[in-house]
Amino acid sequence: MASLARVRLAGRAMPRTHLASSPALALSRRGVATTADTTQLQGALPESATEPFTLKLHEDSFQSYLCDTPSLDVSITKDELLTMYKQMQTMRRMEMAADALYKAKMIRGFCHLAIGQEAVSVGMEHGIDPNDRVITGYRCHPFAVLRGGTIKGVLGELLGRQAGMSNGKGGSMHIFTPTFFGGNGIVGAQVPVGAGAAFAQKYRGEKNCTFAMYGDGASNQGQVFEAFNMAKLWNLPTIFVCENNNGRSSNTQYFTRGDRIPGIQVNGMDIIAATQAVKYARNWAVDQDNGPLLLEFVTYRYGGHSMSDPGTTYRTREEVQRMRSTQDPIRGLQRYLEEWGIATEQDLKKLDKEAKAEVDKAVEEAKALKDLWTDIYYKGTEPTSMRGREREEVPLLLNAPLTSLRRLGVSGLSVERGWCRVLGVGA
Amino acid sequence: MNVYQAVRDAMATAMAKDDSAVVFGEDVAFGGVFRCTMGLAEEFGKERVFNTPLTEQGIAGFGIGMAAMGHTAIAEIQFADYIFPAFDQLVNEAAKIRYRSGNSFNVGALTVRTPTMAVGHGGLYHSQSPEGFFMGAAGLKVVIPRSPIQAKGLLLGSIRDPNPVIFMEPKILYRSAVEQVPIDDYELPLGKAEILVPGQDLTLLTWGTPVYHCETAMHVLSNPAPELESLIPQSMRGVKIELIDLRSILPWDMETIVESVNRTGRLVIVHEAGMTGGVGGEIASEIQKRCFLKLNAPVRRVTGWDVPVGLQYEKFHIPDAIRVVDAMIETLTY
Ligand SMILES: Cc1ncc(C[n+]2csc(CCOP(=O)(O)OP(=O)(O)O)c2C)c(N)n1
Ligand SMILES: [Mg+2]
């Protein structure tokens, strides 16, 4: 026992204290830079919003394993940069709206936000083809919107309303579009599913790939390694994407964990680097038919793990604050846009306002009706009537000497929601 | 103490007396999601209370290896919904190792704790009750406590039982149920149901959270609110219901239930898991065989619906007091 304990301690205690005490150190231990403001403009800026020009990424944007790093020269247009900015702002606004709705107790259950990680979701969308597939874990809201969903659909789902993308039946972790195989609440379970999707793409001869995403924590699930092996064995166009928001594992170089699968570690706080890496991965798996690739985005989540976690178990408040003020992906892009003369502060404020208005509108629309009466029976086999109880009927129950009801508090029976039960359904 | 404090107390008691006892699981060194391991790492050291990576199959297998070496392994699976990745290790390894090694090895020192049942708005992956999936895993024991006193005594019993035990803690009760829990070391027996309220007209059998809904249902039946009076036949007022907490799901206490049903002639089984493949089916079948001539009505099951647990209206999904009342009236007036 004692020796076992020592082995464990040696493996664990060190990295954790480092991570907690010094964010800068913690991040440098993770390899690439996580700055969001080190990309340089090369040459002159064109007049036209759609004419490409060249940017130079910081030399520490990537680190590779068994392959070359992506080029540091990026060709991009003003329009694209502005779209990125607007999308990142909108995604953050949406997550903030979810945060507020959760705090107002309108969203219940489990809700995981990706505030701080916008450069990954938006950057990915700018590097991939509309027909590529994406599958991820439970931190999934931005992907659902960017892959063809709507903000109203996402918020409606969180609220459990009919407007939700899964009719409000699933909630935060259960959102799908034709090219997005959803959030997944079982940590790691989505990764082999992504390999299967990539197999189907290859089998059908589609010029597409699947991005199977997971967290640093999820990377320790056995089935992630099983998926790596299958993808390499069958040379599948699967891009395994690890969103590393401060992982603790025996090997924290997540991009090297695919054994014979090459990998790239990416500055996940700079959207330009993120997009460049995704383009590289697509080219690798689809155009070059090189098989799977690992992408590790080194990123940072400002909030806690979920709405019920203050987020200071693994990190200090100061660390989070420092990341927010120095390495924020949105502020980083904002700085580029202003510095390079692509947009003024006023221009960007206008975009911010539009983003906010779009989200505010979606919040209102999403709050529409709850959907209780569908998806209970196979179509055509419904009973003639289904009954429910309304708030006014609840006191009937409370009149009884319900000691045990009280013991359970409001959670025991749904007194707080004014609903009590369905009579006769399925009986 | 509430349930999570009682669970913590049981683990602290076990660890204080048994140097080989170790607690591990996702985030347990920080106290765990439900606070059940609060302060244990500080009290017993990080060598004995430690976080594992996110790897349920690994956690189960690791615990099996440890227990096979004679260590007391107390593993936590963060939610019962996440026990499925560990299912193979539990069913194929933990349950069978004694048998397949000719009794040269056993993992009796393994206990897997996991929070179970609905929480109000857990949805698909935080509200399931998977106890039924283990019913066929001969070699495992499955225990579900209803209250703090029960939780401490049954957990200590589970930790010390010479068989691997899956200990499922109804998560809604962690904070809501409070009792004066003895601080001494005590164990409650596994495999024994408890008659909470004796009666002679109907046996009401349940475990975990629904124990409280059943208790409520009994009050409603004998003493309905004026608005409900017309719906509940007058003949129900004096009926004597026998309420039983099964406590151990595997093996279940056939003797107590058979004896009770032979007296009452009626059985209603209540559980949160869906009906199909649920524990109730197994019990109902055995009872109809053993009590056939004494039964005055078919055995009735009140359960969650056979659908995934939706995000909204979880209260409609789980069996509540009114559904239990319905079932009792039907069974009593059959
Ligand atoms: C199989 C399984 N085990 C445990 C959990 C509980 N859980 C949800 S998220 C999480 C941490 C995951 O961390 P990571 O993969 O790094 O993703 P992040 O939250 O950082 O985005 C845990 C333990 C779960 N959902 N599924
Ligand atoms: Mg993480």
Side-chain angles (χ1 to χ4, degrees), chain B residues 223-304:
Chain B
N223 191 12
E227 298 89 333
L228 282 180
E229 261 178 356
S230 62
L231 299 171
I232 298 180
Q234 201 57 40
S235 59
M236 297 292 117
R237 302 295 187 275
V239 161
K240 293 275 177 285
I241 307 291
E242 177 147 306
L243 177 62
I244 303 182
D245 176 5
L246 190 61
R247 303 198 293 188
S248 282
I249 311 305
L250 186 69
W252 60 281
D253 184 356
M254 208 177 293
E255 205 180 3
T256 299
I257 313 306
V258 167
E259 186 279 324
S260 171
V261 177
N262 275 337
R263 264 189 293 111
T264 63
R266 294 180 174 88
L267 175 62
V268 172
I269 305 168
V270 183
H271 60 64
E272 278 197 16
M275 185 176 287
T276 304
V279 174
E282 180 60 31
I283 297 174
S285 149
E286 202 56 36
I287 291 300
Q288 70 85 26
K289 174 176 167 252
R290 288 171 187 261
C291 308
F292 190 65
L293 294 176
K294 295 285 177 51
L295 282 173
N296 296 318
V299 176
R300 178 69 191 256
R301 288 175 284 166
V302 184
T303 68

Side-chain angles (χ1 to χ4, degrees), chain A residues 215-217 243 245 301:
Chain A
D216 43 272
E243 286 186 273
N245 52 16
R301 181 184 73 229

Side-chain angles (χ1 to χ4, degrees), chain A residues 228-295:
Chain A
F228 288 170
N229 183 50
M230 285 190 283
K232 187 66 184 170
L233 187 62
W234 298 321
N235 207 45
L236 304 180
T238 321
I239 313 299
F240 296 101
V241 182
C242 179
E243 286 186 273
N244 175 8
N245 52 16
N246 225 346
R248 306 156 302 141
S249 301
S250 62
N251 174 5
T252 51
Q253 304 272 293
Y254 294 92
F255 67 113
T256 67
R257 291 177 63 162
D259 188 11
R260 300 178 69 178
I261 303 178
I264 314 263
Q265 192 185 40
V266 185
N267 173 358
M269 298 308 268
D270 186 331
I271 187 166
I272 298 164
T275 305
Q276 184 78 341
V278 171
K279 286 185 173 154
Y280 177 97
R282 249 209 125 246
N283 178 58
W284 173 277
V286 180
D287 305 331
Q288 311 283 334
D289 195 21
N290 280 337
L293 184 76
L294 258 66
L295 279 188

Side-chain angles (χ1 to χ4, degrees), chain B residues 10-34:
Chain B
M11 285 189 278
T13 305
M15 292 178 84
K17 291 219 172 143
D18 175 358
D19 281 345
S20 82
V22 169
V23 168
F24 54 93
E26 293 159 18
D27 292 332
V28 297
F30 304 137
V33 169
F34 290 102

Side-chain angles (χ1 to χ4, degrees), chain A residues 102-424:
Chain A
Y102 195 97
K103 286 175 179 150
K105 290 200 169 12
M106 293 190 66
I107 293 174
R108 309 301 304 264
F110 293 78
C111 182
H112 310 86
L113 306 179
I115 298 176
Q117 302 183 195
E118 294 86 356
V120 177
S121 53
V122 176
M124 269 196 44
E125 199 51 39
H126 283 261
I128 71 182
D129 179 277
N131 288 321
D132 289 339
R133 304 295 164 103
V134 176
I135 183 166
T136 187
Y138 45 86
R139 211 174 290 290
C140 65
H141 310 157
F143 298 101
V145 176
L146 295 163
R147 293 264 87 202
T150 61
I151 299 171
K152 173 182 160 186
V154 167
L155 292 176
E157 192 56 39
L158 306 195
L159 288 160
R161 306 301 158 111
Q162 219 152 15
M165 287 164 71
S166 300
N167 305 326
K169 299 286 197 306
S172 167
M173 300 175 280
H174 313 274
I175 320 186
F176 302 78
T177 75
T179 57
F180 176 59
F181 284 120
N184 199 309
I186 302 301
V187 166
Q190 71 278 13
V191 181
V193 177
F199 180 89
Q201 289 170 318
K202 184 173 165 134
Y203 189 91
R204 298 183 197 156
E206 290 173 10
K207 287 279 162 223
N208 288 108
C209 59
T210 295
F211 291 81
M213 310 190 62
Y214 52 95
D216 43 272
S219 74
N220 295 316
Q221 288 282 18
Q223 49 183 333
V224 172
F225 295 93
E226 295 173 26
F228 288 170
N229 183 50
M230 285 190 283
K232 187 66 184 170
L233 187 62
W234 298 321
N235 207 45
L236 304 180
T238 321
I239 313 299
F240 296 101
V241 182
C242 179
E243 286 186 273
N244 175 8
N245 52 16
N246 225 346
R248 306 156 302 141
S249 301
S250 62
N251 174 5
T252 51
Q253 304 272 293
Y254 294 92
F255 67 113
T256 67
R257 291 177 63 162
D259 188 11
R260 300 178 69 178
I261 303 178
I264 314 263
Q265 192 185 40
V266 185
N267 173 358
M269 298 308 268
D270 186 331
I271 187 166
I272 298 164
T275 305
Q276 184 78 341
V278 171
K279 286 185 173 154
Y280 177 97
R282 249 209 125 246
N283 178 58
W284 173 277
V286 180
D287 305 331
Q288 311 283 334
D289 195 21
N290 280 337
L293 184 76
L294 258 66
L295 279 188
E296 172 192 344
F297 287 110
V298 183
T299 179
Y300 202 85
R301 181 184 73 229
Y302 298 152
H305 163 70
S306 75
M307 288 303 300
S308 41
D309 163 30
T312 44
T313 316
Y314 300 95
R315 314 104 38 112
T316 61
R317 232 170 264 288
E318 295 69 45
E319 176 190 324
V320 177
Q321 213 34 54
R322 177 130 126 231
M323 287 302 294
R324 261 196 123 110
S325 57
T326 61
Q327 323 220 342
D328 183 71
I330 300 183
R331 281 202 204 190
L333 182 54
Q334 176 192 346
R335 223 166 294 160
Y336 295 148
L337 290 167
E338 290 178 14
E339 247 170 50
W340 302 334
I342 295 174
T344 64
E345 202 184 331
Q346 279 67 38
D347 296 337
L348 297 179
K349 284 234 166 83
K350 190 165 154 271
L351 291 182
D352 296 351
K353 271 205 186 121
E354 286 170 18
K356 182 171 183 308
E358 187 183 342
V359 171
D360 287 349
K361 181 160 169 277
V363 169
E364 285 319 307
E365 291 170 358
K367 284 183 188 164
L369 207 65
K370 289 194 190 178
D371 179 14
L372 170 63
W373 307 109
T374 61
D375 301 339
I376 299 176
Y377 288 92
Y378 183 71
K379 277 203 177 25
T381 69
E382 298 92 347
T384 45
S385 67
M386 286 187 264
R387 290 181 290 153
R389 277 170 180 265
E390 302 284 348
R391 173 169 224 112
E392 308 73 63
E393 293 180 275
V394 172
L396 298 188
L397 268 176
L398 293 178
N399 276 352
L402 302 182
T403 48
S404 38
L405 181 73
R406 297 215 180 85
R407 203 175 309 165
L408 281 181
V410 285
S411 313
L413 281 173
S414 183
V415 178
E416 92 274 29
R417 286 176 165 252
W419 291 89
C420 191
R421 62 168 300 231
V422 182
L423 266 170

Side-chain angles (χ1 to χ4, degrees), chain B residues 63-110:
Chain B
I64 289 166
M66 221 175 192
M69 294 290 285
H71 279 277
T72 300
I74 307 172
E76 177 178 298
I77 298 291
Q78 203 168 68
F79 281 82
D81 310 66
Y82 312 148
I83 209 163
F84 296 111
F87 201 60
D88 173 64
Q89 283 288 347
L90 295 171
V91 173
N92 279 329
E93 305 302 328
K96 298 180 177 49
I97 193 160
R98 187 194 296 276
Y99 186 88
R100 72 188 184 87
S101 71
N103 202 25
S104 48
F105 280 101
N106 74 80
V107 293
L110 173 67

